[in-house]
Amino acid sequence: MASVRVKEWTKEKLREIRNAESHSSYDSVIKTLLKDHKLAKYADEDSHTAIGESPQSQDTDSDKAFADLTVLAELTGSHDDVLFLWCPNCGNELVHLTVTQPIGLSVFEMECQRCLTHLDSQAIVAIELRYPIEQKMIEGQLQADLKSCVMDYWDRTLKAETTETVETEPSAARLVWQFDQYHKQFDWDWPTDIPTVSFVPGVTYSNTATDERIEAVEAITENRNAMDSYKIRRYTADGDVISDRLDSSTLVDWIVNRELVVTEQSIETTELTT
């Protein structure tokens, strides 16, 4: 289990509540406070925030899909001093943290104890107290929100890359590789209305820049820390199917520039033109 360092005042408050309400563990205290939305009250008692000053919100990007769900890599602040970190793959709570403002957790790694996925700040979701976790769990919506939050972050992150060639921006190529690895590990179906961050064998894509349909057949390289090159099928406007190779640099360029969207999962083919 992960260990978390908390402030002394936090320990004292949790100890007082545990003794007063006869909780069996500190975890029970945290869950009760979350349910009743009282934890912010105790955090504010020792807050050094100036009178009239609003707490810093983690919703620093107006284009974010969720106000109270944020991928850890872009988290800069929160409404409260407590955050709950969740795995988007299986919907498991990883840990709860007491934090100080401004927040700086861009470098953070841990393994989910449920699905055993190794996660870093690009794929961990921070949930604030205002998000109705229990209600979402009852409605069966929590997992979908976690997934949508991560997909939205990956899409916005790649949109923010202003590259024309991957050689000039190796960080963009690294991001594409990382998002591709997570997407395949999570085994998510990518929506058709958002440009893809990954290239998955068996899936057919449309290149919005060329109006060309491209089916990913199989990887033909085994790069450990970079995108692979792929054997593909190109579907022409006149109905021909052409077997071809898509090199990794071109693939990364397409993904960074948000040119590939998912179409059909498979297309019947009867003849290959070489």
Side-chain angles (χ1 to χ4, degrees), residues 26 29 83 226 256:
Y26 288 114
V29 175
L83 290 173
V256 170

Side-chain angles (χ1 to χ4, degrees), residues 17-216:
I17 298 170
R18 179 180 180 179
N19 294 335
E21 300 181 6
S22 300
H23 288 277
S24 60
S25 65
Y26 288 114
D27 186 60
S28 175
V29 175
I30 292 291
K31 290 181 179 179
T32 300
L33 291 172
L34 173 62
K35 179 180 179 180
D36 297 336
H37 284 235
K38 295 179 181 178
L39 194 53
K41 169 185 174 183
Y42 292 104
D44 286 342
E45 287 180 358
D46 288 326
S47 174
H48 296 292
T49 303
I51 296 177
E53 181 180 321
S54 298
Q56 184 179 7
S57 169
Q58 70 177 20
D59 188 16
T60 57
D61 191 328
S62 60
D63 293 331
K64 280 173 73 258
F66 299 90
D68 301 315
L69 301 182
T70 305
V71 172
L72 203 55
E74 67 174 347
L75 186 65
T76 58
S78 68
H79 297 96
D80 307 294
D81 289 339
V82 176
L83 290 173
F84 300 84
L85 305 187
W86 287 70
C87 170
N89 184 38
C90 66
N92 178 49
E93 181 183 350
L94 301 171
V95 69
H96 42 263
L97 300 173
T98 300
V99 296
T100 57
Q101 308 286 354
I103 298 173
L105 292 175
S106 59
V107 179
F108 188 95
E109 297 183 10
M110 69 183 306
E111 183 178 86
C112 177
Q113 296 300 306
R114 178 187 292 175
C115 66
L116 303 181
T117 304
H118 183 80
L119 303 166
D120 69 2
S121 59
Q122 302 286 350
I124 295 175
V125 179
I127 299 182
E128 289 199 73
L129 285 172
R130 301 189 309 173
Y131 179 82
I133 293 180
E134 292 190 351
Q135 177 184 341
K136 292 289 187 175
M137 293 180 70
I138 292 173
E139 296 172 351
Q141 187 63 32
L142 176 60
Q143 182 77 46
D145 282 358
L146 294 171
K147 177 180 176 180
S148 295
C149 175
V150 172
M151 286 184 168
D152 170 69
Y153 165 73
W154 288 348
D155 178 47
R156 288 186 295 104
T157 299
L158 291 180
K159 282 182 180 177
E161 295 291 332
T162 57
T163 66
E164 294 185 358
T165 60
V166 295
E167 288 80 11
T168 60
E169 288 288 347
S171 62
R174 175 74 180 182
L175 278 175
V176 171
W177 172 77
Q178 190 172 16
F179 294 166
D180 176 77
Q181 293 296 301
Y182 275 131
H183 176 233
K184 290 173 179 174
Q185 189 171 9
F186 296 166
D187 196 26
W188 288 345
D189 288 332
W190 195 261
T192 57
D193 59 341
I194 301 175
T196 186
V197 300
S198 185
F199 201 68
V200 181
V203 176
T204 301
Y205 302 87
S206 174
N207 187 318
T208 57
T210 63
D211 291 329
E212 184 178 39
R213 288 188 302 163
I214 299 169
E215 180 185 358

Side-chain angles (χ1 to χ4, degrees), residues 252-268:
V252 170
D253 200 28
W254 286 354
I255 292 176
V256 170
N257 289 299
R258 318 308 291 129
E259 295 177 5
L260 290 181
V261 294
V262 174
T263 56
E264 300 296 329
Q265 291 295 321
S266 63
I267 295 180
E268 295 183 4

